[in-house]
Amino acid sequence: MNRRNFIKRTVSVGTGLLVVPTIVPASVFGPNAPSNRINIGAIGCGRISRDHDMPGVWKYDYARLIAASDLDTNRLADAKTLIESTYSKKLGSPYTGVKTYVNYEEMLADKDIDAVLVSTPDHWHAKIAIDAARAGKHIYLQKPTSLTIDEGRKMSNAVNANGVILQIGSQQRSMEQFRVACELVRNGRIGQLKTIDVRLPGDPPGGSTVEMPAPATFDYDKWLGQTPYVYYTEERVHPQKGYGRPGWLRCEQFGAGMITGWGAHHFDIAHWAMDREYSGPIEISGKAKFATGGLWDVHGDYSTEMLYDNGVIVTGTTESKEKPNGLLITGTEGWIFVSRGSYAASANEPISTKSKALQASNEKILSPLTDNDPVRLYVSKDHHGNWLESIRDSKKNITPAEVAHRSCTACLLQHIAMKLNRKLYWDPTLERFKNDDEANSMIARPHRPPYQF
């Protein structure tokens, strides 16, 4: 049986076709029929995949996880067990045969797979997304979109050129309070928008620098990918036992730290609130503290400021008791503060505020929208579900590739400003700094063979 088509026999009758269906169970017909299911492979089977991405899709009956890929064979075996045991319990009968691939390229060649979850470290995001797009697979990509601005541009171009659907994992778009906050702002409830203050968690310095042998069950060289070769030590990668927060999140070789890790969420909402989802800032400045010892070297406390062409100033700071995690959006007639509240996407996620998810300087600002408020934004009630629906129904999703790239770019621009510690001038159309060769040299990074794009 071809799962894309109902079982049938056809014979020629004159100039037409007589279709004689084979007898099949009634369960085959309907929205959850095997022929209609979206078959998914998980690439990267660590903490965020197990806690967030795989559970996000296996709750939908018209989607099915049928494969997993990871460079750590222990984690790959765990993923197979997790998927099969979950579906066995869900379906009430044994579910076996989940395919496993050490190399994701082999998964992309599997014609049974329609879509992939990409839950790898940041430095692999854009490369895998580009390869998946060229293989015709739809993509759910964990944020941030890319390691560099150049990679993000290549990723967005590849996705759009190949006609696949990419959803970035900025699930705040599917949390009601963030959409409502943006609708209220865009309908003028706080008057003319003036500033957006984005508060992010911080990352501590530290990490053991003791050189260790790479585990025999782990393809460490490929895990490093395009980045320079450095010796293995466990706190540079991920725990060999358990699924605690991995050390690579705190190493600049593999990502920019919290400015992209959480910034990809919050600055995306800032763009949504001010209707600049396909643009970016024109001036950026910033400063930050960077560790001087230990393994972990991403930014610590920081402050940034970005000016947009509409005159709005977006600032970034490290959260504190006085300035809790979230976005403070201020206008000429009041303010709105929006945050996740107590929500956490995965175990061990740093949540430092229990504040209300949505607050305002005046409760009247938060009153329900009326006919006098014409702006209505895209409604998504579940982020993974929205991605699956967009595949099933061939419709636009809530965070497509170009929107994701622009949000990540705003984060990376701030990181470059932190490094250079001076004001930068950006052209969001050309995606280049103005008259600044030093800054433009930081738009891309060299790629280590054989992992070039």
Side-chain angles (χ1 to χ4, degrees):
M1 172 181 174
N2 184 331
R3 64 183 182 78
R4 286 289 177 275
N5 301 286
F6 298 124
I7 299 174
K8 60 188 179 182
R9 291 185 291 117
T10 59
V11 294
S12 294
V13 180
T15 60
L17 289 174
L18 173 64
V19 180
V20 183
T22 302
I23 297 174
V24 295
S27 61
V28 170
F29 299 93
N32 298 324
S35 55
N36 294 330
R37 286 195 192 122
I38 301 168
N39 285 342
I40 299 170
I43 302 176
C45 302
R47 177 187 64 130
I48 198 68
S49 181
R50 295 172 63 90
D51 290 354
H52 186 58
D53 289 333
M54 289 194 285
V57 300
W58 67 39
K59 64 185 178 182
Y60 290 92
D61 291 337
Y62 64 92
R64 192 61 51 86
L65 282 161
I66 68 166
S69 173
D70 201 285
L71 295 171
D72 185 323
T73 57
N74 289 332
R75 290 189 162 203
L76 186 56
D78 284 354
K80 177 180 172 67
T81 299
L82 177 63
I83 295 168
E84 292 181 348
S85 63
T86 297
Y87 278 119
S88 294
K89 185 181 297 183
K90 178 181 173 72
L91 300 172
S93 59
Y95 183 84
T96 59
V98 168
K99 304 174 188 178
T100 56
Y101 302 91
V102 173
N103 295 303
Y104 76 88
E105 295 92 341
E106 295 176 25
M107 175 187 285
L108 295 182
D110 187 337
K111 294 183 179 180
D112 287 335
I113 293 174
D114 307 305
V116 292
L117 297 170
V118 182
S119 314
T120 64
D122 298 358
H123 63 291
W124 270 105
H125 286 181
K127 176 72 166 71
I128 295 175
I130 290 169
D131 290 345
R134 290 173 176 167
K137 313 298 186 187
H138 302 295
I139 307 148
Y140 187 97
L141 180 65
Q142 261 304 323
K143 52 75 200 167
T145 308
S146 58
L147 188 63
T148 67
I149 295 170
D150 177 69
E151 291 173 13
R153 168 47 54 211
K154 289 180 169 66
M155 182 282 298
S156 182
N157 289 350
V159 167
N160 290 315
N162 288 280
V164 298
I165 293 169
L166 180 142
Q167 175 99 298
I168 197 70
S170 54
Q171 70 269 18
Q172 289 182 174
R173 285 265 180 153
S174 298
M175 298 172 72
E176 185 178 21
Q177 70 268 30
F178 289 100
R179 174 180 53 80
V180 168
C182 292
E183 285 181 330
L184 294 172
V185 171
R186 287 173 64 165
N187 279 296
R189 289 291 186 90
I190 58 173
Q192 183 181 354
L193 179 59
K194 304 298 288 185
T195 63
I196 303 177
D197 182 22
V198 174
R199 293 89 172 266
L200 304 179
D203 259 323
S208 172
T209 59
V210 175
E211 184 171 354
M212 304 167 65
T217 55
F218 179 45
D219 188 345
Y220 177 61
D221 185 81
K222 185 166 185 178
W223 183 91
L224 288 172
Q226 52 155 303
T227 73
Y229 182 84
V230 288
Y231 66 82
Y232 174 86
T233 186
E234 186 172 337
E235 290 189 354
R236 195 195 303 278
V237 189
H238 56 251
Q240 280 299 299
K241 293 184 179 180
Y243 289 88
R245 195 163 190 259
W248 63 260
L249 283 165
R250 295 166 177 164
C251 298
E252 275 203 341
Q253 180 165 342
F254 314 117
M258 282 296 184
I259 194 64
T260 52
W262 265 73
H265 291 298
H266 284 354
F267 289 103
D268 174 61
I269 298 301
H271 280 186
W272 207 15
M274 61 176 160
D275 193 16
R276 289 298 183 273
E277 297 167 86
Y278 292 91
S279 184
I282 56 176
E283 295 180 10
I284 313 99
S285 59
K287 57 184 179 180
K289 294 179 181 178
F290 290 91
T292 57
L295 182 70
W296 300 331
D297 57 359
V298 294
H299 71 86
D301 289 349
Y302 81 103
S303 63
T304 57
E305 182 175 296
M306 298 187 290
L307 173 66
Y308 284 73
D309 63 354
N310 56 1
V312 175
I313 294 174
V314 178
T315 62
T317 54
T318 308
E319 66 176 25
S320 64
K321 285 186 177 181
E322 295 74 27
K323 293 184 175 183
N325 187 318
L327 296 92
L328 178 66
I329 308 172
T330 304
T332 54
E333 298 176 26
W335 55 262
I336 290 172
F337 179 77
V338 61
S339 75
R340 293 190 184 182
S342 59
Y343 168 85
S346 64
N348 303 310
E349 182 171 312
I351 296 293
S352 58
T353 176
K354 299 293 184 181
S355 60
K356 290 182 180 179
L358 187 61
Q359 304 172 62
S361 54
N362 187 320
E363 285 299 315
K364 291 183 180 179
I365 291 172
L366 302 181
S367 59
L369 297 175
T370 69
D371 291 341
N372 294 323
D373 302 303
V375 178
R376 296 293 190 277
L377 299 177
Y378 191 125
V379 177
S380 166
K381 296 184 178 180
D382 182 87
H383 209 59
H384 291 91
N386 176 255
W387 174 60
L388 294 171
E389 289 171 5
S390 68
I391 296 169
R392 182 190 64 188
D393 302 335
S394 298
K395 67 178 186 180
K396 183 180 178 181
N397 58 310
I398 196 167
T399 49
E402 184 65 18
V403 169
H405 166 59
R406 294 292 182 161
S407 298
C408 187
T409 294
C411 301
L412 291 169
L413 289 171
Q414 292 171 87
H415 188 249
I416 293 172
M418 291 179 203
K419 288 292 190 178
L420 297 179
N421 198 25
R422 57 182 170 82
K423 183 172 283 191
L424 306 172
Y425 300 88
W426 178 250
D427 185 328
T429 301
L430 298 177
E431 295 185 277
R432 299 282 294 175
F433 292 102
K434 298 179 180 179
N435 303 314
D436 196 326
D437 291 342
E438 183 181 24
N440 279 323
S441 72
M442 301 172 76
I443 291 174
R445 296 191 196 182
H447 290 171
R448 181 173 69 101
Y451 305 106
Q452 305 98 318
F453 280 37

